[in-house]
Amino acid sequence: MNPKILIIGACGQIGTELTQKLRKLYGTDNVIASDIRKLNTDVVNSGPFEVINALDFNQIEHLVEIHQITDIYLMAALLSATAEKNPAFAWDLNMNSLFHVLNLAKAKKIKKIFWPSSIAVFGPTTPKENTPQYTIMEPSTVYGISKQAGERWCEYYHNIYGVDVRSIRYPGLISWSTPPGGGTTDYAVDIFYKAIADKKYECFLSSETKMPMMYMDDAIDATINIMKAPAEEIKIHSSYNLAAMSFTPTEIAAEIKKHIPEFEITYNPDFRQKIADSWPASIDDADARKDWGWNHKFDLESMTKDMLEHLG
């Protein structure tokens, strides 16, 4: 039996590609996309779509009932840089949407939840290189604080109420299909657009700021694979570390120059530099690889080639 899936926040950076992949996998009618407004996009036009406010429990419950939903992917959130500009709303959206979904699972109205965490759960006191699964977590951003609290609640609902909730800590995500969405790692998306359009890019981070990154194809595969894994393979019910590659703005610029020799990069760090400095440079994701067989396909070279082919 195919799951009946509701994606909340389906028009966002991850939701857009996740919706299309899940529809291919389980059939268009089995994947209900939803977001706060109805835009004229492929996600909206290619299958069932509902307008939903992630902060309204009754709306979510109503959709679960009328569509007989079994699995919810909760992708709605205010990302790092945007959340810093509106901390109270970010906390409200990021936390209460999670409670709504956890409580539906607690009441046995749905079977399974995917909720994304992030490397933002780590902070300036976390070991920067090869950050372990279990380590110091003192996040310094609203986004990071909400994700760390969310991890604890996911684990609590699993331990106390038996809720099947699965989560991964996304690194910076790079995609050609949706423009940047207000994250600190988004320079690594924007740089491709500017390289093609203007042959130059002014980076809001310093040249040697190294951060963990992942191509969207790999992130989508990880998301679907953790949800497909048998329950007994999921040993961590807070959130799994996930990694693919780590690089600096200098390194990605050098890779782009191999394809666009006239490309130039300059640096003008802003408030996002402080956020980036508080995050890891590389991640140890041995548990995800061991428990449910995670494996990435893209490195910096293959990702750059694929991005430029799609955008060019």
Side-chain angles (χ1 to χ4, degrees):
M1 273 261 309
N2 279 339
K4 201 77 191 284
I5 294 166
L6 173 65
I7 302 170
I8 300 173
C11 295
Q13 189 193 23
I14 306 168
T16 301
E17 296 191 41
L18 180 63
T19 303
Q20 307 290 31
K21 191 84 183 270
L22 286 169
R23 282 178 172 165
K24 276 187 194 143
L25 200 59
Y26 296 120
T28 301
D29 292 340
N30 288 320
V31 181
I32 317 298
S34 71
D35 215 305
I36 189 77
R37 56 188 165 269
K38 193 169 189 171
L39 304 167
N40 186 23
T41 62
D42 286 349
V43 166
V44 174
N45 299 328
S46 66
F49 182 86
E50 300 274 5
V51 174
I52 193 174
N53 179 355
L55 288 169
D56 189 327
F57 176 80
N58 293 330
Q59 275 187 27
I60 302 172
E61 185 181 42
H62 178 66
L63 285 191
V64 164
E65 286 169 356
I66 62 168
H67 292 289
Q68 299 177 302
I69 299 298
T70 59
D71 298 9
I72 290 182
Y73 290 71
L74 175 57
M75 312 310 288
L78 223 55
L79 299 182
S80 57
T82 315
E84 289 306 293
K85 294 172 185 168
N86 198 343
F89 177 67
W91 176 260
D92 191 23
L93 175 63
N94 295 1
M95 294 310 305
N96 284 318
S97 59
L98 175 59
F99 277 126
H100 294 338
V101 172
L102 287 171
N103 285 326
L104 284 167
K106 177 189 167 189
K108 304 283 189 281
K109 297 199 170 185
I110 54 172
K111 289 178 181 167
K112 215 186 314 185
I113 296 165
F114 177 81
W115 173 80
S117 189
S118 159
I119 57 166
V121 297
F122 303 118
T125 53
T126 302
K128 278 190 93 66
E129 293 291 344
N130 236 13
T131 302
Q133 174 69 44
Y134 300 103
T135 186
I136 298 163
M137 295 163 77
E138 295 184 321
S140 55
T141 63
V142 181
Y143 181 62
I145 293 164
S146 72
K147 287 298 182 186
Q148 197 207 7
E151 286 192 15
R152 302 276 67 80
W153 280 114
C154 287
E155 192 174 58
Y156 181 86
Y157 269 73
H158 172 76
N159 291 342
I160 304 300
Y161 306 120
V163 166
D164 188 349
V165 56
R166 302 171 184 209
S167 178
I168 46 189
R169 293 172 183 151
Y170 288 130
L173 298 180
I174 300 167
S175 164
W176 55 266
S177 73
T178 45
T184 301
T185 54
D186 274 354
Y187 89 86
V189 180
D190 201 27
I191 194 170
F192 287 102
Y193 285 89
K194 297 290 196 301
I196 290 166
D198 309 328
K199 308 291 186 280
K200 62 179 193 285
Y201 177 64
E202 184 178 270
C203 186
F204 56 73
L205 299 177
S206 69
S207 61
E208 298 310 306
T209 306
K210 185 178 165 195
M211 285 191 290
M213 298 283 188
M214 182 175 287
Y215 200 34
M216 187 62 81
D217 295 43
D218 279 336
I220 299 299
D221 282 350
T223 303
I224 291 170
N225 289 343
I226 194 174
M227 285 294 272
K228 281 165 82 172
E232 62 273 12
E233 286 182 8
I234 308 300
K235 308 282 201 296
I236 293 169
H237 293 277
S238 52
S239 193
Y240 276 93
N241 273 5
L242 201 70
M245 52 185 140
S246 286
F247 55 78
T248 64
T250 303
E251 288 168 330
I252 192 173
E255 200 58 49
I256 289 170
K257 272 178 87 77
K258 290 178 187 175
H259 302 267
I260 306 173
E262 62 272 40
F263 175 67
E264 296 295 333
I265 186 168
T266 55
Y267 301 95
N268 184 18
D270 66 13
F271 74 100
R272 289 167 284 197
Q273 183 66 48
K274 194 176 170 195
I275 298 175
D277 289 342
S278 75
W279 289 353
S282 59
I283 298 284
D284 178 356
D285 63 352
D287 285 296
R289 292 175 189 270
K290 179 175 94 276
D291 290 356
W292 45 276
W294 157 243
N295 205 359
H296 70 285
K297 296 186 183 80
F298 286 87
D299 59 11
L300 178 56
E301 189 182 348
S302 54
M303 176 202 72
T304 301
K305 187 169 175 287
D306 202 65
M307 279 291 284
L308 291 171
E309 277 173 10
H310 278 101
L311 289 174

